[in-house]
């Protein structure tokens, strides 16, 4: 959805849009992205089920496909589902027959569906966003050793637009991807999204900032409040100064304005 208004700080705003089935869907405006003189809104659907926190795992429905042979039916199903042979599961309903001299011939019939995979869920979700923004992005997904974390690397041109100011757009994409994936999963899945090694570079920047702020607090003997940060960035600051003998840190305020304060130890 394209918004004509300028990007502003929003508390909680909602819009109603038409879904793919023609039904009106209520959505929360979670974040906005400025791109090529336009502002795109990241919309988060709001349902009554979510209010009760009783969301069910979505199961892919079977479709029936018929063709001259089972192999032909499978090929047609792969095209319809946009999948490869290792991404589907099927059951043969009717093997089909050639009949006698082509008379009374019966087509083969199968029922088939896509296998659920976290990687496929993440890719499908992100591709929809990038397609709406007319961005060509390569999505590389690697499953971490813990089995429940998926590291996503985005590659392409204009990656700066996906990072956003201080990584806010990247954080929004990551948050929404986590919501989308966990809605379809029985166990908690963690999705980490990065591009151009931004997370590592941002961490190094924050660690240097923490040291400079600590030096300023020691020199002036006055507390210093940092700008609002997300939980990950606040943890970086706390961690960077936790072993400092002269200063200590704590967080103040409510999200999204919660920030770190660095003070002298008493």
């Amino acid at each position: 959805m394209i918004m004509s208004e300028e990007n502003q700080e929003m508390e909680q705003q909602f819009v109603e849009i038409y879904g793919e089935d023609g039904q009106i869907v209520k959505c929360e405006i979670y974040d906005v992205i400025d791109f090529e003189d336009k502002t795109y809104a990241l919309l988060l659907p709001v349902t009554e089920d979510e209010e009760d926190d009783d969301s069910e795992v979505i199961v892919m429905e079977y479709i029936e496909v018929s063709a001259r042979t089972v192999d032909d039916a499978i090929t047609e199903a792969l095209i319809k589902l946009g999948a490869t042979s290792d991404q589907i599961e099927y059951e043969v309903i009717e093997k089909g027959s050639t009949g006698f001299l082509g008379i009374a011939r019966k087509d083969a019939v199968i029922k088939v569906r896509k296998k659920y995979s976290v990687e496929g869920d993440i890719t499908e979700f992100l591709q929809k966003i990038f397609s709406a923004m007319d961005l060509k992005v390569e999505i590389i997904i690697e499953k971490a050793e813990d089995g429940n974390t998926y590291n996503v690397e985005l590659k392409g041109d204009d990656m700066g637009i996906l990072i956003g100011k201080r990584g806010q757009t990247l954080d929004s994409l990551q948050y929404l991807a986590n919501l989308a994936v966990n809605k379809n999963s029985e166990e908690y899945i963690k999705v980490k999204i990065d591009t151009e090694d931004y997370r590592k570079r941002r961490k190094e920047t924050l660690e240097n900032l923490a040291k400079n702020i600590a030096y300023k607090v020691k020199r002036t003997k006055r507390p210093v409040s940092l700008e609002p940060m997300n939980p990950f960035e606040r943890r970086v600051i706390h961690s960077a100064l936790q072993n400092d003998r002269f200063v200590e840190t704590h967080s103040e305020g409510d999200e999204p304005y919660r920030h770190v304060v660095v003070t002298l130890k008493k």
Side-chain angles (χ1 to χ4, degrees):
M1 178 181 178
I2 300 176
M3 301 178 61
S4 57
E5 298 179 3
E6 292 186 6
N7 186 353
Q8 300 177 1
E9 291 289 342
M10 297 176 294
E11 293 182 357
Q12 193 175 34
Q13 298 183 15
F14 299 91
V15 294
E16 290 184 342
I17 62 174
Y18 286 101
E20 294 179 356
D21 57 359
Q23 299 296 314
I24 294 178
V25 180
K26 183 178 180 182
C27 298
E28 177 187 350
I29 303 176
Y30 177 73
D31 201 359
V32 292
I33 302 173
D34 291 323
F35 181 59
E36 292 185 348
D37 299 325
K38 293 179 181 178
T39 301
Y40 294 82
L42 294 179
L43 302 181
L44 181 62
V46 177
T47 66
E48 293 180 359
D49 289 340
E50 288 176 346
E51 295 176 3
D52 298 333
D53 199 26
D54 290 329
S55 299
E56 297 181 353
V57 175
I58 295 176
V59 179
M60 297 294 292
E61 296 294 335
Y62 281 99
I63 63 171
E64 282 196 6
V65 179
S66 60
R68 185 176 293 271
T69 66
V70 171
D71 287 342
D72 288 344
I74 293 174
T75 299
E76 188 173 332
L78 294 176
I79 295 173
K80 284 186 176 182
L81 295 175
T84 56
S85 58
D86 62 329
Q87 295 175 331
I88 66 166
E89 53 188 8
Y90 67 92
E91 181 180 330
V92 177
I93 299 175
E94 176 64 55
K95 291 183 178 181
S97 63
T98 57
F100 179 71
L101 298 178
I103 300 173
R105 180 181 64 83
K106 288 185 178 181
D107 282 346
V109 181
I110 64 172
K111 66 176 185 178
V112 58
R113 69 180 179 184
K114 258 187 175 181
K115 293 178 182 176
Y116 174 78
S117 72
V118 175
E119 291 92 336
D121 216 4
I122 296 172
T123 300
E124 183 178 358
F125 173 78
L126 292 175
Q127 282 179 338
K128 285 182 179 179
I129 293 179
F130 301 148
S131 177
M133 298 177 66
D134 197 26
L135 286 176
K136 293 182 179 180
V137 181
E138 180 184 1
I139 302 170
I140 302 171
I141 303 176
E142 183 178 309
K143 188 175 182 180
E145 292 182 359
D146 64 12
N148 290 328
T149 301
Y150 291 78
N151 298 309
V152 182
E153 176 71 19
L154 305 178
K155 292 186 176 182
D157 299 328
D158 300 318
M159 288 298 95
I161 201 67
L162 294 182
I163 294 174
K165 184 179 180 182
R166 292 196 300 272
Q168 290 176 348
T169 302
L170 199 62
D171 289 340
S172 297
L173 287 174
Q174 180 171 285
Y175 174 76
L176 293 174
N178 274 279
L179 286 181
V181 170
N182 280 288
K183 203 168 186 179
N184 300 341
S185 177
E186 294 179 329
E187 57 184 2
Y188 180 73
I189 299 296
K190 187 172 185 179
V191 181
K192 295 182 178 180
I193 300 180
D194 198 5
T195 183
E196 297 181 345
D197 217 16
Y198 172 78
R199 302 289 187 191
K200 180 181 178 182
R201 291 187 287 111
R202 179 62 174 164
K203 182 174 181 289
E204 292 172 349
T205 298
L206 290 172
E207 288 172 342
N208 288 330
L209 172 65
K211 294 175 183 178
N212 291 334
I213 293 299
Y215 174 76
K216 181 178 180 180
V217 170
K218 296 171 190 175
R219 181 170 53 84
T220 64
K221 294 180 171 52
R222 293 183 179 180
V224 173
S225 296
L226 279 67
E227 63 185 0
M229 296 178 181
N230 62 41
F232 167 76
E233 294 184 339
R234 294 197 301 271
R235 284 196 296 271
V236 172
I237 299 294
H238 292 313
S239 178
L241 298 180
Q242 66 180 352
N243 295 322
D244 193 296
R245 294 183 299 164
F246 303 102
V247 301
E248 59 187 5
T249 63
H250 67 275
S251 296
E252 292 183 358
D254 299 320
E255 300 290 1
Y257 307 107
R258 193 163 176 78
H259 58 277
V260 176
V261 179
V262 184
T263 61
L264 275 177
K265 284 184 178 178
K266 297 180 181 178

